[in-house]
Amino acid sequence: MAFLVFSGGLFPIIFIMLKGKHIILGISGSIAAYKAATLIRLLVKEGAEVKVVMTPLAKEFITPLTLATLSKNPILVDFYNPENGDWHSHVSLGLWADLLLIAPATANTIGKMVAGIADNLLLTTYLSAKCPVAVAPAMDLDMYRHPATQRNLNVLKSYGNWIIEPEEGELASGLSGKGRMEEPEKIVAFLSTLWQEKKDLTGKKVLLTAGPTYERIDPVRFIGNYSTGKMGFALAEEFAARGAEVILIAGPVNLKTISAAIRRVDVVSAGEMFEQVMQFADQCDIVVSCAAVADFTPKEKSGTKIKRGKMDLNLELQPTQDIAAELGRRKKAGQLLIGFALETDDEACNAVLKLRKKNLDLIVLNSLRDKGAGFGGDTNKVTVIDRKEQQFAYDLKSKQEVATDIVDRIVDLLQVK
């Protein structure tokens, strides 16, 4: 079997997964827009239904009539068509689509996607889309390699968008270099792989914790941490995409789940998280403790707001129940326990100690000393350590890509057990 190389990995050249898929093709104002005609023809040939959304400038490079003829659907450019009174809802488009492909994607459109600018129908559709998004850049080599463009592409990757890297070759400017939009045949080959999901966890049940806990001091104050839950939620989606049934115990975060295979239970405090985890743990094949659970909670909690006074406030803390340690104590035969360790010094040593002490099978280590890792961001840099103290170090990646790496390691361990 032949393979293609794109940003994100190797993909086999097979056109078998597009039949019946709803694909929005977004076309921005680039000379490479002429390739959209071939791209539509190939997608329709493989059984996909294609709707085209063009930016106003894209019409200067290829006519809507050509694309409408090939796609067998009206071409959408404006929010409102005064000729027939049609209103083009970007929300409805986002719900209809299985995939949004923006090809060609100019530097201007990519920059607006990153900034959240919504000044045309294509951009509002992008911001509304709940489906996967693939982006095929097309621009001159100096524009492509400009730090601003490279930063924007990295941000789109961190959002979970797929970047179909441009080719090297002769450009419209007469220069030669990287910036040519990938050929339509290769783009279709790439798209076909998006539905070749690994289902290597079908029949498995996963319990996962994510986010922080808040330990109440009084009705308006709490002890907490900077966890956003992004890593845990990315793991939940990855497990679900690979066939697992997922129970997600989430602390207070501003995130939503996408997969219907995820059952979400919201909690606030460490005590609440402990109760919910213990309720479900025995039912699960895999338990992942990704949450940043508070180690201490106030011994006394005030029922009213504590007022500022002249005297210092002494807050007495007591330990919370150690969820990972209790899971290790109760661990059933064949069950996998995975923990996380966020460290600032002696990272590997402290992670191994935690793995041993809490009877874990794997521990995922990240260090606050690594730029781009830890709380708050869209990227992470991890090292996975097993019971034999083997270390598997990964480069800085988006949290979605990190989730794939972690789940791959868990699947490998399942196959050995």
Side-chain angles (χ1 to χ4, degrees):
M1 181 182 291
F3 285 83
L4 297 172
V5 181
F6 293 96
S7 175
L10 290 168
F11 300 95
I13 306 176
I14 41 178
F15 301 166
I16 58 174
M17 303 297 290
L18 298 177
K19 187 174 182 179
K21 298 299 183 185
H22 294 172
I23 297 176
I24 295 174
L25 175 61
I27 305 173
S28 60
S30 164
I31 188 64
Y34 78 90
K35 294 183 179 180
T38 303
L39 188 52
I40 293 169
R41 183 179 60 79
L42 291 172
L43 290 170
V44 171
K45 183 180 178 181
E46 298 306 320
E49 183 176 352
V50 181
K51 292 186 178 181
V52 177
V53 181
M54 303 177 74
T55 65
L57 187 58
K59 295 191 298 181
E60 302 296 322
F61 294 92
I62 190 166
T63 67
L65 178 59
T66 298
L67 303 180
T69 302
L70 293 169
S71 68
K72 301 179 177 60
N73 275 311
I75 304 306
L76 309 177
V77 180
D78 300 308
F79 293 98
Y80 177 71
N81 186 345
E83 294 181 3
N84 57 21
D86 284 346
W87 170 256
H88 302 141
S89 170
H90 56 281
V91 175
S92 297
L93 284 168
L95 292 172
W96 173 84
D98 295 309
L99 175 82
L100 169 59
L101 167 65
I102 302 178
T106 61
N108 182 56
T109 291
I110 289 168
K112 288 182 176 182
M113 290 164 69
V114 169
I117 294 172
D119 61 357
N120 60 46
L121 184 59
L122 174 55
L123 291 165
T124 55
T125 301
Y126 167 71
L127 292 173
S128 301
K130 298 184 183 300
C131 59
V133 177
V135 179
M139 62 198 74
D140 202 64
L141 78 162
D142 292 319
M143 295 178 70
Y144 177 73
R145 65 189 181 191
H146 192 282
T149 303
Q150 291 302 308
R151 178 186 63 82
N152 288 339
L153 290 171
N154 286 330
V155 171
L156 290 183
K157 289 178 187 177
S158 76
Y159 293 165
N161 299 162
W162 291 86
I163 307 300
I164 304 174
E165 295 284 349
E167 290 185 319
E168 292 197 20
E170 186 177 346
L171 303 168
S173 64
L175 299 174
S176 184
K178 194 168 185 177
R180 287 170 56 95
M181 189 181 97
E182 183 61 273
E183 293 304 313
E185 292 81 4
K186 293 184 179 180
I187 292 176
V188 173
F190 167 73
L191 297 184
S192 72
T193 67
L194 294 181
W195 285 282
Q196 293 174 341
E197 298 174 340
K198 299 177 187 175
K199 293 295 183 181
D200 42 15
L201 290 171
T202 300
K204 298 296 183 183
K205 197 166 186 178
V206 177
L207 176 63
L208 177 71
T209 66
T213 65
Y214 289 172
E215 307 305 315
R216 188 168 69 87
I217 297 172
D218 65 19
V220 297
R221 301 180 181 92
F222 61 84
I223 298 172
N225 56 61
Y226 296 114
S227 174
T228 60
K230 291 179 181 178
M231 190 69 254
F233 274 62
L235 279 166
E237 297 293 349
E238 180 68 17
F239 277 119
R242 292 166 73 159
E245 179 186 348
V246 181
I247 301 172
L248 174 63
I249 313 296
V253 296
N254 295 314
L255 297 173
K256 295 181 179 179
T257 55
I258 298 172
S259 173
I262 300 172
R263 175 184 175 185
R264 177 173 174 174
V265 179
D266 290 312
V267 299
V268 176
S269 69
E272 292 173 359
M273 186 169 282
F274 181 92
E275 291 177 6
Q276 292 298 324
V277 168
M278 297 310 148
Q279 178 180 338
F280 294 107
D282 286 346
Q283 309 168 23
C284 296
D285 306 288
I286 302 165
V287 182
V288 182
S289 297
C290 187
V293 183
D295 293 320
F296 297 93
T297 189
K299 192 170 184 179
E300 301 290 338
K301 296 173 174 59
S302 176
T304 59
K305 181 182 177 182
I306 300 171
K307 300 294 186 181
R308 180 192 295 271
K310 294 181 179 179
M311 303 296 293
D312 292 339
L313 174 65
N314 292 316
L315 191 63
E316 188 175 358
L317 303 178
Q318 63 184 8
T320 57
Q321 292 169 292
D322 190 327
I323 296 174
E326 185 62 18
L327 286 168
R329 190 183 68 80
R330 298 188 186 191
K331 184 178 179 182
K332 65 181 184 178
Q335 188 178 56
L336 290 185
L337 298 183
I338 295 87
F340 275 68
L342 178 61
E343 302 291 344
T344 58
D345 55 84
D346 295 328
E347 289 94 333
C349 180
N350 286 326
V352 170
L353 287 173
K354 184 175 181 180
L355 180 144
R356 298 292 183 198
K357 184 178 178 181
K358 301 191 179 184
N359 195 21
L360 304 175
D361 295 286
L362 291 176
I363 192 160
V364 181
L365 167 66
N366 49 33
S367 171
L368 283 178
R369 294 198 290 183
D370 288 330
K371 187 177 179 180
F375 292 149
D378 295 314
T379 58
N380 208 353
K381 182 180 180 181
V382 304
T383 299
V384 180
I385 305 174
D386 65 16
R387 293 177 73 90
K388 296 178 182 178
E389 298 187 22
Q390 295 182 95
Q391 297 187 21
F392 305 90
Y394 299 92
D395 294 331
L396 183 72
K397 300 181 181 183
S398 72
K399 287 184 174 175
Q400 290 83 2
E401 292 172 305
V402 173
T404 300
D405 290 336
I406 293 170
V407 175
D408 282 345
R409 188 58 55 194
I410 292 169
V411 169
D412 287 346
L413 191 57
L414 276 173
Q415 292 171 349
V416 174
K417 280 229 168 192

